[in-house]
C-alpha cells in the first residue's frame, strides 16, 4: 500500500509579477533546498529515511508539492 498526498496551489507562472517571470518556478524548485532548521542535505536524508519521494513543480495556473510514501505493513 502507498500514500499519495498532493498539495495544489491555484497560483503559477501566470501570476508572476510583471518583469519577474519565473518566480513561481523558482519558488517551487527552492522548496527542496531546505526549510526551517534543515538544509537540503538534512531534508533529503529525512525524506529518504521515511522511504518517501517528494516532487515540486509549477505550471501556468498551479503550483504543486507531491508526496509519495510506501507504507510498510510488517
Amino acid at each position: 500500500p502507498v500514500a499519495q498526498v498532493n498539495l495544489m496551489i491555484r497560483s503559477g507562472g501566470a501570476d508572476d509579477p510583471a518583469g519577474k517571470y519565473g518566480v513561481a518556478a523558482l519558488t517551487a524548485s527552492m522548496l527542496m533546498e531546505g526549510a526551517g532548521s534543515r538544509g537540503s542535505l538534512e531534508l533529503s536524508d529525512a525524506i529518504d529515511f521515511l522511504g518517501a519521494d517528494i516532487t515540486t513543480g509549477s505550471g501556468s495556473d498551479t503550483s504543486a508539492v507531491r508526496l509519495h510514501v510506501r507504507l510498510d505493513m510488517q
Side-chain angles (χ1 to χ4, degrees):
V2 298
Q4 177 76 31
V5 179
N6 298 322
L7 171 64
M8 303 293 292
I9 302 165
R10 289 186 292 179
S11 181
D15 297 308
D16 285 346
K20 296 184 179 180
Y21 303 108
V23 171
L26 176 64
T27 302
S29 65
M30 292 303 294
L31 289 173
M32 296 308 299
E33 296 301 317
S37 63
R38 293 186 182 184
S40 61
L41 292 177
E42 291 90 3
L43 184 59
S44 178
D45 286 345
I47 292 167
D48 287 344
F49 177 76
L50 295 174
D53 181 34
I54 295 179
T55 58
T56 62
S58 181
S60 61
D61 296 325
T62 61
S63 296
V65 177
R66 294 177 177 90
L67 169 69
H68 180 89
V69 180
R70 181 184 166 116
L71 304 173
D72 194 8
M73 304 297 281
Q74 294 182 357

